[in-house]
Amino acid sequence: MKNNFSKKFSLEDVVSISDFSRAQIEHILSQAQKIQKLSVSKKTQILKGKVVALLFFEPSTRTKLSFASAVQQLGGSVIGFDDISTTSLVKGESFTDTLKMVEGYADIVVIRHPLDGSARLAADTISKPVINAGDGRNQHPTQTLLDLFTIQESFKKIDGLKIGLCGDLKHYRPFHSLALALSCFKNITLYLVSPSHLDLPKTIREILAKSNNAFVEVTDLKKVLPELDVLYMGRIPKEYFAEDESFEQAKNFITVDKVLLESAKKNLKVMHPLPRVTEIAQEVDETEHALYFQQAANAIPVRQALLQELIKVKKHKPVNSLNLISEIQCTNKTCISHQESIEPKIHETVNQKLYCHYCGKLVE
Ligand code: CP
């Protein structure tokens, strides 16, 4: 299917970073650079008269505010909610009915939701482009694009870097999307640093193993810190621990401070999607290593570049034509397919592995 918009960006929704090719990622990064240089009068033409809905079923500071600011700087306006207790969801309206209403009120829908696969369900449900602003323990693709933009701005390249991901690799979605995106780049060495019970999900490890990049798994950051160009820290997200998982055991996994950083390369950059809790001591903020506040600011041009592409989209009717199995349930307990009165959708690969259409996880 062909769209009548940029040939370099043929996506109709931004749901999973795995939907992006390297060329599409690079296109967004270069558009983000260009957008920063536009005059105010040119910028405000891009979304003039357009409405973007920000549907936040889960708390956010950066993602919500940066999308709102990005839209307004492009001449558009925003509607939405960030407190579901003020919506008709509390009267029993379903997630999909809510989306069908918003479809009539907005040109693009940005959604954050606590359940994995919610953004894919939203994208399948409505004919307006959907942007995933974080779906449960699954993905945060726009965070990843701004992370890559930040790395590229700082190092003038992404290929060849040694990048450490440190924290709860099991639950924390920015790690998932970034690890997947880096598999499109060359000669990356990925150092996966986590407590052993909080390592990367199997579905993502399979993709990393198939890529040409090396990855090394350790539980002690000190062992690999001197190697790194980028140390990408993440929060231990209490809200995503199941009752039978020990948050208390994990919560103090690591604090990066000035003493620890003495063994790092002079040019090491420390990144974090934020909010931080105890993973990075405040004293690091004043060092040359700290890149996380610049990273957060880069949300504006990157999200503007995405909005600029998606506003041109004429969406095609989704998925019904795909060969999906509905007799098998997704085995991921936090997938939205368990919460809504919707049919499971599982697809089978040529090697007979089954993956959930919504959350993308391997069905085991
Ligand atoms: N990085 C990020 O997603 O932050 P918020 O949860 O504040 O949006």
Side-chain angles (χ1 to χ4, degrees):
M1 278 188 290
K2 283 203 167 54
N3 284 299
N4 60 347
F5 56 105
S6 167
K7 287 193 177 116
K8 291 183 181 153
F9 189 83
S10 53
L11 299 178
E12 298 182 344
D13 304 283
V14 174
V15 170
S16 164
I17 201 70
S18 301
D19 297 337
F20 283 74
S21 65
R22 176 173 176 151
Q24 286 168 328
I25 291 173
E26 287 176 338
H27 176 66
I28 292 299
L29 304 194
S30 91
Q31 291 302 109
Q33 258 185 343
K34 285 182 192 155
I35 231 163
Q36 282 179 309
K37 293 177 190 142
L38 288 182
S39 63
V40 171
S41 60
K42 284 210 168 114
K43 264 192 199 174
T44 51
Q45 292 304 308
I46 294 171
L47 291 183
K48 190 177 173 191
K50 302 295 182 186
V51 177
V52 176
L54 306 180
L55 309 187
F56 279 68
F57 296 77
E58 197 188 57
S60 166
T61 297
R62 275 146 295 277
T63 312
K64 181 170 53 97
L65 295 181
S66 64
F67 264 115
S69 177
V71 171
Q72 285 163 21
Q73 289 179 43
L74 296 181
S77 51
V78 290
I79 59 168
F81 54 78
D82 53 18
D83 175 0
I84 60 167
S85 72
T86 64
T87 71
S88 288
L89 286 152
V90 292
K91 301 176 201 163
E93 187 160 43
S94 70
F95 175 68
T96 48
D97 276 2
T98 303
L99 284 160
K100 285 175 192 163
M101 295 306 103
V102 175
E103 178 177 20
Y105 307 148
D107 299 288
I108 295 176
V109 176
V110 178
I111 178 166
R112 169 170 289 194
H113 194 281
L115 292 173
D116 311 358
S118 48
R120 182 71 70 196
L121 176 59
D124 289 355
T125 302
I126 62 173
S127 61
K128 299 288 170 62
V130 168
I131 299 179
N132 181 3
D135 64 324
R137 298 153 185 80
N138 193 30
Q139 288 230 6
H140 197 349
T142 69
Q143 176 68 48
T144 294
L145 292 167
L146 73 90
D147 296 340
L148 295 174
F149 181 82
T150 305
I151 293 171
Q152 180 143 293
E153 291 275 286
S154 191
F155 291 89
K156 310 297 171 220
K157 64 173 189 176
I158 297 171
D159 289 330
L161 293 177
K162 294 179 191 270
I163 300 176
L165 307 184
C166 179
D168 175 358
L169 303 181
K170 179 178 179 183
H171 301 106
Y172 195 59
R173 59 196 174 207
F175 287 138
H176 300 166
S177 299
L178 183 56
L180 290 168
L182 288 171
S183 69
C184 298
F185 291 84
K186 286 187 193 147
N187 301 323
I188 302 281
T189 309
L190 208 51
Y191 296 84
L192 304 174
V193 189
S194 70
S196 51
H197 66 293
L198 297 177
D199 56 2
L200 268 187
K202 192 172 172 186
T203 312
I204 300 173
R205 296 156 70 89
E206 278 188 343
I207 292 166
L208 296 189
K210 278 190 211 150
S211 82
N212 292 320
N213 295 323
F215 70 95
V216 177
E217 296 182 86
V218 292
T219 54
D220 185 358
L221 177 61
K222 285 185 198 134
K223 286 193 178 146
V224 297
L225 185 62
E227 305 291 324
L228 302 180
D229 300 303
V230 175
L231 170 60
Y232 190 98
M233 297 297 298
R235 191 168 58 88
I236 308 283
K238 186 176 183 184
E239 67 274 27
Y240 291 139
F241 276 63
E243 276 173 19
D244 59 350
E245 292 177 314
S246 173
F247 171 73
E248 288 305 311
Q249 197 189 332
K251 72 177 184 189
N252 295 322
F253 173 56
I254 187 107
T255 300
V256 173
D257 57 18
K258 279 185 175 175
V259 173
L260 187 76
L261 289 172
E262 279 170 12
S263 68
K265 285 181 189 167
K266 194 166 173 285
N267 194 34
L268 169 81
K269 294 299 176 197
V270 180
M271 297 177 64
H272 193 309
L274 305 176
R276 69 175 149 185
V277 186
T278 55
E279 314 80 60
I280 304 176
Q282 280 197 358
E283 63 183 20
V284 177
D285 301 1
E286 68 198 38
T287 71
E288 293 288 310
H289 297 300
L291 197 55
Y292 28 93
F293 293 120
Q294 181 57 45
Q295 180 186 352
N298 287 341
I300 298 288
V302 173
R303 290 183 168 135
Q304 285 180 333
L306 281 171
L307 291 162
Q308 178 180 235
E309 294 295 343
L310 289 176
I311 204 65
K312 303 171 203 163
V313 165
K314 296 271 178 290
K315 248 173 99 168
H316 296 83
K317 195 82 186 139
V319 302
N320 291 344
S321 58
L322 293 179
N323 186 19
L324 294 164
I325 305 164
S326 58
E327 292 78 31
I328 301 171
Q329 273 286 350
C330 176
T331 46
N332 169 17
K333 290 190 184 118
T334 56
C335 176
I336 195 153
S337 61
H338 297 292
Q339 302 292 316
E340 292 278 318
S341 53
I342 53 165
E343 272 192 344
K345 286 181 179 168
I346 306 292
H347 65 85
E348 190 171 359
T349 60
V350 278
N351 58 1
Q352 296 182 324
K353 285 193 170 177
L354 302 174
Y355 293 89
C356 176
H357 167 70
Y358 295 111
C359 70
K361 298 246 169 20
L362 185 66
V363 178
E364 297 182 285

